[in-house]
């Protein structure tokens, strides 16, 4: 019956404009592997878009609309100031229904659900459905405090009042890098970490469990060159306290590569200070694509 036809499929998502020149933010998973990206603005105008940069680890993509038109952008707010119980508004394209507005409150912060590497989600009960991904989560001042990214629903059929958004502060850092360099530049230490349990803290005379336990140090890594050892407990990194194991990867990733940093480490029942120069995660061989 002739040549087999390649099936074309279309995916729907949401996004928002952050610059009058037509720079659009969305989720990486919305545009991943797309041949063509069409952005509909205000429900009636359609523009082709090209990818300026994408980051699968935080699930953020930055697009440029291919037009000389000027747009009215939205602005980011300070997501660290968002509190549980604050009202929020989501705008997006659920099930292809463009310009849908839903509201709710912030249900929780700092959620990890095992979806991406650097998660610190804001949880909301505003209805977020398929197609809302990549859209903005606003506070009542009209500032974007999050990028809507995931729903947890039985069979993924609809919203059950548990939606997640990437906080604006974390997203902004990645967006700035993608616009400037077309890629991310994260700091890299080169360690395997574990949670500090009560038993570990007790054996190490640390008192309350805190910090990140170093379970292993990669050969030739910045950590090894800086004198870190298995068994160390990192309490402070570049002036920032490491309260739990989960803090360390985020703080390191947010620090520029090649920066000289000081770490406060618990070793042999006392605090010592180590100084080292960070590497770049994206060029570390452990993270190179196979």
């Amino acid at each position: 019956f002739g040549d087999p036809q390649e099936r074309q499929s279309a995916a729907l998502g949401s996004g928002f404009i952050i610059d009058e020149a037509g720079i659009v933010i969305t989720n990486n998973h919305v545009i991943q592997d797309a041949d063509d990206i069409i952005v509909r603005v205000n429900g009636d105008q359609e523009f082709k878009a090209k990818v300026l940069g994408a980051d699968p680890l935080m699930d953020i993509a930055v697009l440029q609309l291919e037009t000389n038109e000027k747009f009215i952008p939205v602005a980011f707010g300070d997501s660290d100031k968002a509190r549980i119980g604050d009202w929020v508004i989501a705008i997006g394209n659920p099930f292809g229904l463009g310009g849908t507005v839903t509201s709710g409150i912030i249900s929780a912060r700092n959620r990890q659900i095992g979806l991406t590497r650097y998660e610190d989600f804001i949880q909301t009960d505003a209805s977020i459905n398929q197609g809302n991904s990549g859209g903005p989560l606003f506070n009542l001042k009209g500032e974007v405090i999050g990028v809507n990214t995931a729903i947890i629903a039985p069979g993924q059929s609809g919203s059950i009042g548990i939606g997640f958004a990437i906080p604006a502060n974390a997203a902004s850092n990645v967006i700035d890098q993608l616009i400037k360099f077309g890629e991310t530049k994260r700091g890299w230490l080169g360690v395997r970490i574990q949670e500090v349990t009560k038993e570990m803290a007790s054996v190490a005379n640390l008192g309350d469990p805190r910090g990140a336990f170093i379970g292993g140090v990669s050969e030739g890594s910045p950590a090894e060159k800086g004198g870190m050892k298995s068994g160390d407990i990192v309490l402070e990194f570049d002036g920032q306290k490491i309260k739990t194991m989960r803090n360390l990867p985020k703080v390191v990733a947010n620090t520029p590569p090649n920066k000289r940093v000081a770490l406060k480490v618990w070793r042999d029942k006392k605090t010592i200070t180590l100084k080292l120069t960070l590497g770049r995660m994206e060029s570390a061989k452990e993270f190179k694509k196979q």
Side-chain angles (χ1 to χ4, degrees):
F1 295 109
D3 296 329
Q5 296 288 306
E6 268 198 30
R7 284 192 56 199
Q8 280 197 324
S9 66
L12 290 174
S14 305
F16 53 99
I17 296 172
I18 60 159
D19 185 283
E20 64 172 16
I23 292 180
V24 174
I25 305 306
T26 187
N27 280 145
N28 176 62
H29 78 257
V30 168
I31 57 94
Q32 207 169 8
D33 305 327
D35 293 324
D36 295 300
I37 301 168
I38 307 290
V39 177
R40 187 174 291 144
V41 181
N42 296 333
D44 54 359
Q45 294 174 287
E46 286 194 350
F47 301 98
K48 285 197 86 157
K50 65 172 195 276
V51 179
L52 289 184
D55 175 33
L57 296 184
M58 199 179 270
D59 199 10
I60 291 280
V62 182
L63 315 178
Q64 172 70 62
L65 300 183
E66 295 181 336
T67 171
N68 292 324
E69 273 199 51
K70 293 271 184 280
F71 297 89
I72 299 169
V74 293
F76 283 108
D78 184 351
S79 57
D80 287 342
K81 289 189 174 149
R83 294 285 170 261
I84 293 169
D86 284 357
W87 280 92
V88 285
I89 291 168
I91 302 183
N93 184 32
F95 308 116
L97 300 166
T100 294
V101 180
T102 51
S103 74
I105 57 167
I106 293 176
S107 315
R109 291 182 37 166
N110 310 113
R111 284 281 199 230
Q112 269 107 1
I113 59 171
L115 199 71
T116 62
R117 184 181 174 86
Y118 296 106
E119 349 184 280
D120 199 8
F121 289 130
I122 295 169
Q123 184 183 323
T124 175
D125 67 349
S127 285
I128 292 176
N129 286 288
Q130 283 169 330
N132 269 113
S133 273
L137 186 70
F138 290 100
N139 62 18
L140 291 190
K141 290 184 193 160
E143 300 165 331
V144 178
I145 56 157
V147 181
N148 298 322
T149 197
I151 52 169
I152 290 184
Q156 293 290 300
S157 57
S159 171
I160 52 163
I162 298 179
F164 297 95
I166 302 161
N169 292 12
S172 299
N173 196 16
V174 165
I175 290 162
D176 290 346
Q177 290 186 355
L178 292 177
I179 291 171
K180 202 168 167 186
F181 310 116
E183 57 186 359
T184 53
K185 295 190 175 185
R186 292 185 166 101
W188 178 61
L189 198 53
V191 291
R192 290 183 298 284
I193 57 172
Q194 292 165 237
E195 195 137 352
V196 178
T197 62
K198 275 187 177 166
E199 290 78 8
M200 283 180 191
S202 169
V203 168
N205 267 19
L206 183 62
D208 289 330
R210 58 202 158 97
F213 181 84
I214 303 300
V217 177
S218 301
E219 211 176 304
S221 66
E224 188 189 56
K225 289 173 187 163
M228 289 190 81
K229 293 180 179 173
S230 292
D232 286 351
I233 297 173
V234 180
L235 301 178
E236 203 173 287
F237 178 92
D238 198 24
Q240 298 179 70
K241 284 201 169 22
I242 304 299
K243 293 183 184 130
T244 71
M245 172 192 84
R246 283 175 172 164
N247 291 148
L248 189 62
K250 286 178 197 148
V251 172
V252 172
N254 281 331
T255 309
N258 302 319
K259 185 177 181 187
R260 187 107 177 122
V261 294
L263 283 80
K264 285 197 178 155
V265 166
W266 188 258
R267 184 189 292 173
D268 298 332
K269 304 185 178 173
K270 60 177 185 294
T271 304
I272 60 166
T273 300
L274 298 174
K275 290 197 168 141
L276 52 85
T277 303
L278 280 189
R280 183 176 169 209
M281 196 200 81
E282 291 82 356
S283 51
K285 63 177 187 289
E286 293 162 47
F287 287 95
K288 286 255 164 110
K289 289 187 174 65
Q290 302 304 313

